[in-house]
């Protein structure tokens, strides 16, 4: 059994763990920033012997809370992470689904955010690569049908 601590400054919470084809250990979750007490996505890559290879933090464009919920690795070791990002902290409901794509060295290649038609919470839940390296994700998008009722769709 291997035990490692990331050692962030605030609350850190892992959400997903994946072992890649080379037996590297990849973990995604959230990490609290000490200065402003908001959360960012965090992705950690450990070698099979438990040595930290790299870490990556994603702070969304709104600099609000960012929570990852799913992680996947393709056959080349590239990583996709999905979750939610508070794109506008001045509003009480405004999480957007965000996908980040990192290369095998932990460098951000691109990010994509989805804001649904109702401009309410859009949450990414899980993510997977297919055999051709294409990314599929699931989540939910809130919409109001009346002032007293709201629902989420896949």
């Amino acid at each position: 059994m291997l035990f490692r601590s990331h050692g962030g400054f605030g609350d850190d919470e892992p959400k997903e763990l994946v072992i890649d084809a080379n037996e590297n250990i990849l973990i995604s979750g959230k990490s609290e920033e000490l200065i402003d007490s908001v959360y960012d996505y965090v992705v950690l890559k450990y070698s099979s012997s438990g040595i930290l290879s790299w870490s990556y933090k994603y702070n969304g464009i709104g600099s609000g809370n960012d929570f990852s919920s799913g992680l996947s690795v393709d056959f080349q070791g590239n990583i996709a992470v999905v979750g939610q990002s508070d794109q506008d902290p001045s509003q009480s409901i405004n999480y957007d689904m965000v996908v980040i794509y990192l290369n095998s060295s932990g460098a951000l290649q691109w990010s994509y955010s989805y804001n649904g038609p109702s401009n309410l919470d859009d949450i990414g839940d899980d993510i997977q690569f297919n055999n051709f390296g294409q990314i599929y994700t699931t989540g939910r998008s809130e919409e109001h049908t009346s002032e007293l009722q709201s629902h989420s769709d896949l």
Side-chain angles (χ1 to χ4, degrees), residues 31-75:
S31 182
E32 185 179 24
E33 294 297 319
L34 183 62
I35 296 169
D36 52 11
S37 296
V38 299
Y39 290 94
D40 292 328
Y41 283 22
V42 65
V43 182
L44 307 169
K45 181 177 182 178
Y46 291 93
S47 69
S48 59
S49 59
I51 297 169
L52 182 65
S53 300
W54 52 259
S55 65
Y56 177 82
K57 281 192 177 183
Y58 173 78
N59 182 16
I61 61 171
S63 294
N65 285 314
D66 307 302
F67 305 109
S68 71
S69 53
L71 168 94
S72 187
V73 180
D74 72 7
F75 63 93

Side-chain angles (χ1 to χ4, degrees), residues 74-76 78 101 110 128-136:
D74 72 7
F75 63 93
Q76 295 177 324
N78 299 310
Y101 182 80
W110 54 261
Q128 290 294 318
F129 285 97
N130 69 9
N131 292 335
F132 304 104
Q134 297 168 317
I135 297 171
Y136 292 85

